[in-house]
């Protein structure tokens, strides 16, 4: 049985986040993705594999080329999970900002 990788561990890596950012604009081949990094193609291929195993990326065959693109449905699931936490922290920072404005130092 093939174990699934954790989505949040996958996006914790800065290179994988950069790959997702690249693919948010357009679908790319593995070589085109690797051209954007100083790492070896094998390293970038491993990152792509991890993102694919998490269902964050999908493959699309076009002739002899394989293109990778973002799985928008899976990305939305991640965003939906994070949203309540973002709202909570926004509220906390807004409250902190209001308190800090009350206690401005007098000059």
């Amino acid at each position: 049985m093939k174990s699934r990788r954790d989505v949040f561990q996958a996006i914790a890596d800065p290179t994988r986040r950069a790959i997702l950012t690249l693919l948010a604009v357009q679908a790319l081949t593995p070589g085109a993705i690797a051209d954007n990094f100083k790492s070896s193609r094998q390293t970038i291929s491993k990152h792509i594999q991890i993102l694919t195993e998490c269902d964050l990326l999908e493959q699309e065959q076009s002739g002899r080329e394989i293109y990778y693109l973002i799985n928008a449905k899976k990305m939305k699931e991640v965003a939906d999970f994070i949203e309540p936490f973002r709202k909570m922290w926004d509220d906390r920072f807004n409250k902190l900002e209001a308190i800090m404005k009350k206690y401005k130092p007098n000059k």
Side-chain angles (χ1 to χ4, degrees):
M1 182 170 100
K2 184 178 172 183
S3 65
R4 302 295 289 178
R5 292 187 185 265
D6 179 66
V7 170
F8 293 100
Q9 285 181 342
I11 61 176
D13 184 89
T15 301
R16 290 192 281 268
R17 288 194 308 270
I19 291 170
L20 290 171
T21 301
L22 279 172
L23 295 176
V25 178
Q26 66 181 1
L28 296 170
T29 63
I33 295 168
D35 289 343
N36 289 277
F37 298 93
K38 293 181 182 176
S39 304
S40 70
R41 286 183 184 246
Q42 292 82 6
T43 300
I44 298 304
S45 179
K46 183 65 177 173
H47 286 302
I48 292 169
Q49 177 188 355
I50 291 168
L51 291 168
T52 303
E53 288 174 3
C54 293
D55 291 330
L56 292 171
L57 296 184
E58 297 176 341
Q59 292 181 354
E60 191 174 273
Q61 186 89 26
S62 179
R64 293 174 46 197
E65 297 285 344
I66 294 175
Y67 286 85
Y68 287 92
L69 54 140
I70 285 188
N71 178 351
K73 183 178 176 184
K74 187 66 171 185
M75 292 297 287
K76 183 169 179 357
E77 287 176 22
V78 173
D80 289 347
F81 176 81
I82 293 171
E83 184 61 20
F85 299 102
R86 188 193 63 76
K87 286 181 180 177
M88 176 188 69
W89 282 107
D90 279 349
D91 290 344
R92 288 181 181 184
F93 283 123
N94 289 339
K95 288 176 185 175
L96 178 61
E97 183 178 28
I99 291 169
M100 296 294 285
K101 285 181 180 178
K102 285 182 186 177
Y103 295 105
K104 279 188 176 176
N106 295 332
K107 290 186 178 181

